Amino acid sequence: MESILLKDKVRGLEGYFAAGGYKPLKKALALKPAEIIEEVKKSGLRGRGGAGFPTGLKWSFIPKDAEGPRYLVCNADEGEPGTFKDRELILKNPHALIEGMAIAGYAIGAAHGYIYIRGEFTAEAALLETAIADARAKGFIGRNILGSGFNFELFVHRGAGAYICGEETALLESLEGFKGQPRLKPPFPAVKGLFGSPTVINNVETLAAVPAIMERGGAWYAVIGAGKSAGTKLFCVSGPVNKPGVYELPLGVPLRDLLEKSCGGLKAGKKLKAVIPGGSSTPVLTAAEALAVNLDYESLTAAGSMLGSGAVIVIDESQCMVKLLQVLARFYHHESCGQCTPCREGCGWIEKLLNRLEDGRGTVKDIDTLYSVADGMMGRTICPLADAMAMPVMSFVKKFRSEFEAHAAGRCCPSEAPGKH
């Protein structure tokens, strides 16, 4: 399977151009914007940030009769624990993102684009600034791009490292200079987004796939992958495997193949216990479930989890599930913006319960309360951060309850050496 996103390490403009870069932009500029949107729809490309919403359909939501400016925003915040694919893509192939944004900007009628990048990504932000300047100098960004009459300026905006700003409306608030808190929807960004104008927000990986689709056609891209999960996906694997890292594979690949063939299996002496398949906010899979599932949107949903960002977190038998959940709860409690009561209070309550259980002070009733609090948070807040806390809690407790009960009984959990509690 050929790589589409990571086929070459082409940081510089000359290398990218030599590999065929910016030819898709020229091709796109000869088409009508509606034709580009239809081609992206035909490709089956879905948002790679986690939601998996059809990209071409999202672009088509921009009102055709909207007056005033329109904006394109790239979400490069990448704050989901376990996820490191977008920064890898920026480091290895920044011009794919820039070209993808120019094509998308033309398709939706936007004259300005913003790359909202996580504040800690200092090297990546600097690399993007240089790449944009090089592209502008060659006429691929700026006024009258390639003599087409289309103007498109692109800017890099660094956030302050808030997980909540990965949510698209909180990102817009931050980009406008306000506190990063999610907005009530509707109105949706496609109608009223950045500065009150129609806006499309896409992930780095999503936009970087657009040039290849324009070059080779939506029909070509659609046959890669599995059914409604078209194309390739960047999977970032962490944990006790021999070769952790970022792998580009067609959607639908068995999770077993990713672990055993791409990652070289688990390290010597390690035995698979569980896998979080799509970033820390997605429900955990047992070893048996993980080794039987394929990595696509539909298969993981059927297995009771989600593809999410494609961050595959591998957990071996030596790890304590209560301790791991405690670490996650501390993160989500810290990152909650506090706007919604179920999230603000629920995340804190969950962390306190897990602290008690991990310290050997908890009871069996605490386990039931833990699950009940999480269940009460689901679907009851402005943004999905409460769900991102609740889903791991509910799946950990449901599938590894014996470890929680061992903690509640004051014993060490089965995966730990005696005497730790």
Side-chain angles (χ1 to χ4, degrees):
M1 171 65 209
E2 68 170 306
S3 293
I4 295 172
L5 300 171
L6 298 176
K7 57 185 177 182
D8 295 299
K9 292 184 179 181
V10 282
R11 289 189 183 186
L13 177 59
E14 296 305 321
Y16 184 72
F17 193 72
Y22 289 108
K23 291 180 181 178
L25 174 59
K26 184 176 181 180
K27 181 179 179 180
L29 292 174
L31 300 173
K32 295 178 180 178
E35 292 175 318
I36 297 172
I37 293 175
E38 284 305 311
E39 200 66 32
V40 174
K41 283 183 179 180
K42 190 188 302 181
S43 74
L45 176 66
R46 294 166 67 172
R48 302 300 196 230
F53 193 83
T55 303
L57 183 61
K58 191 174 191 178
W59 292 3
S60 71
F61 288 160
I62 295 288
K64 295 178 176 57
D65 57 351
E67 297 182 359
R70 304 173 183 191
Y71 295 101
L72 175 67
V73 177
C74 173
N75 185 346
D77 190 66
E78 195 162 55
E80 178 76 1
T83 312
F84 45 91
K85 63 183 178 64
D86 289 340
R87 67 183 305 186
E88 183 84 352
L89 190 51
I90 290 169
L91 286 170
K92 289 185 176 178
N93 204 1
H95 285 281
L97 171 59
I98 294 168
E99 184 177 18
M101 291 193 71
I103 294 170
Y106 175 68
I108 67 169
H112 295 87
Y114 295 88
I115 301 174
Y116 185 98
I117 192 166
R118 191 164 186 79
E120 293 91 336
F121 293 173
T122 304
E124 293 82 353
L127 181 62
L128 278 171
E129 293 278 16
T130 298
I132 291 170
D134 291 343
R136 185 179 289 110
K138 292 293 185 178
F140 300 127
I141 293 293
R143 297 191 61 79
N144 192 26
I145 295 174
L146 299 177
S148 66
F150 172 56
N151 304 322
F152 185 71
E153 286 293 345
L154 190 53
F155 307 95
V156 176
H157 182 96
R158 292 180 63 188
Y163 175 78
I164 194 66
C165 289
E167 194 278 333
E168 60 180 22
T169 60
L171 184 157
L172 294 178
E173 286 288 298
S174 176
L175 191 52
E176 290 179 5
F178 302 109
K179 183 178 181 180
Q181 288 188 321
R183 300 173 179 174
L184 283 169
K185 293 180 284 190
F188 292 91
V191 176
K192 187 177 181 181
L194 187 63
F195 307 124
S197 298
T199 303
V200 164
I201 306 162
N202 285 134
N203 173 259
V204 173
E205 184 183 353
T206 310
L207 290 162
V210 170
I213 291 169
M214 289 308 306
E215 178 186 9
R216 303 178 69 170
W220 161 79
Y221 191 84
V223 300
I224 303 169
K228 294 180 181 179
S229 297
T232 63
K233 179 81 184 74
L234 297 182
F235 296 101
C236 27
V237 186
S238 57
V241 293
N242 285 303
K243 295 188 294 182
V246 179
Y247 296 92
E248 183 179 1
L249 296 168
L251 281 163
V253 65
L255 178 51
R256 179 190 289 269
D257 286 358
L258 173 63
L259 297 182
E260 296 179 357
K261 295 180 180 179
S262 300
C263 299
L266 270 66
K267 292 181 178 179
K270 301 292 185 181
K271 184 180 178 182
L272 186 66
K273 180 177 188 177
V275 174
I276 303 175
S280 67
S281 62
T282 59
V284 68
L285 299 175
T286 65
E289 291 171 333
L291 295 176
V293 77
N294 293 338
L295 291 168
D296 59 73
Y297 296 101
E298 289 72 34
S299 295
L300 281 164
T301 298
S305 190
M306 301 164 62
L307 180 66
S309 64
V312 178
I313 303 171
V314 180
I315 302 165
D316 72 88
E317 288 283 2
S318 69
Q319 299 300 308
C320 169
M321 302 304 282
V322 179
K323 180 64 178 177
L324 290 178
L325 191 58
Q326 180 195 33
V327 172
L328 288 182
R330 184 185 308 129
F331 171 81
Y332 286 110
H333 182 204
H334 179 269
E335 294 295 334
S336 172
C337 75
Q339 185 175 194
C340 303
T341 303
C343 183
R344 181 183 67 246
E345 301 300 323
C347 287
W349 195 354
I350 285 172
E351 185 185 3
K352 288 177 183 177
L353 288 167
L354 287 165
N355 288 343
R356 286 220 302 255
L357 286 164
E358 180 61 21
D359 293 343
R361 298 179 289 109
T363 66
V364 172
K365 185 178 179 181
D366 287 335
I367 303 172
D368 296 329
T369 303
L370 193 62
Y371 191 94
S372 176
V373 171
D375 189 34
M377 294 165 63
M378 285 290 295
R380 291 176 172 84
T381 51
I382 293 174
C383 89
L385 193 145
D387 292 12
M389 174 74 273
M391 288 189 291
V393 170
M394 296 169 74
S395 64
F396 271 56
V397 171
K398 186 181 296 183
K399 296 179 180 180
F400 298 95
R401 187 179 178 94
S402 63
E403 294 192 23
F404 289 83
E405 290 175 344
H407 280 258
R411 308 189 307 270
C412 73
C413 95
S415 64
E416 297 178 327
K420 290 191 73 174
H421 286 279

